[in-house]
C-alpha cells in the first residue's frame, strides 16, 4: 500500500485527466475531491473485495474470540451468522479462532483472500459432516491401532 497520495484530482480534472485518473486507480488508488469537498477514492474492485473480506472476518474473529472468553459453550443465538460452528466443541472453536487469525495475517500480507476462503470452506465442510450423527461418531471415535491391519495389494 502506498503511504502517501501523489495527486488529488478535482471533479473538473475528470474531463481532461480521465486516463491519468483511471491509471492511478489501476495501480493503487486515485483520490478525487468532489465540488462539495467530499473525498472519494477509486481502486481496483479486487482490492476492495480483499479489504471488505478482511474487515468482515477480522470482525468475526474478534467476536468469536470475545465470546469464547465470556462463555464456555456458545449457543446458536450467540454464534449468530457463525452458527454453523455449533457442531464444534470448545477446543475446536479455539483452534478455529487460532487458524482464522493466521489466515487473516496471510491474506492481509498476500492481498488475497484465497487462504482465508480455503480455511473457512474446510471448517464449514467439517461442520457439515459433524452434523450427521453417524459421521460424527466415526470421526470422533477413538481408534485402536490394533483395529487396523495391512491390506494386500489387489
Amino acid at each position: 500500500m502506498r503511504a502517501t497520495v501523489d495527486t488529488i484530482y478535482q471533479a473538473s480534472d475528470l474531463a481532461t485527466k480521465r486516463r491519468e485518473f483511471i491509471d492511478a486507480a489501476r495501480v493503487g488508488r486515485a483520490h478525487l475531491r468532489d465540488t462539495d469537498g467530499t473525498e472519494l477514492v477509486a481502486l481496483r474492485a479486487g482490492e476492495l473485495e480483499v479489504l471488505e473480506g478482511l474487515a468482515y472476518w477480522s470482525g468475526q474473529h474478534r467476536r468469536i474470540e470475545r465470546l469464547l472468553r465470556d462463555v464456555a459453550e456458545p449457543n446458536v443465538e450467540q454464534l449468530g451468522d457463525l452458527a454453523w460452528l455449533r457442531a464444534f466443541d470448545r477446543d475446536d472453536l479455539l483452534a478455529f479462532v487460532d487458524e482464522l487469525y493466521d489466515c487473516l495475517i496471510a491474506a492481509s500480507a498476500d492481498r488475497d483472500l484465497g487462504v482465508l476462503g480455503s480455511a473457512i470452506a474446510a471448517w464449514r465442510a467439517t461442520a457439515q459432516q459433524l452434523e450427521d450423527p453417524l459421521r460424527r461418531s466415526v470421526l470422533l471415535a477413538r481408534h485402536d491401532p490394533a483395529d487396523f491391519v495391512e491390506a494386500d495389494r489387489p
Side-chain angles (χ1 to χ4, degrees), residues 68 89-101 123:
L68 290 172
D89 63 19
R90 182 175 181 78
D91 289 339
D92 289 335
L93 291 173
L94 290 169
F96 172 77
V97 167
D98 287 344
E99 185 173 346
L100 182 56
Y101 179 76
W123 278 92

Side-chain angles (χ1 to χ4, degrees), residues 54 58 99-111 115-116:
L54 289 171
S58 292
E99 185 173 346
L100 182 56
Y101 179 76
D102 291 344
C103 289
L104 285 165
I105 298 296
S108 179
D110 297 346
R111 306 304 289 169
V115 68
L116 184 60

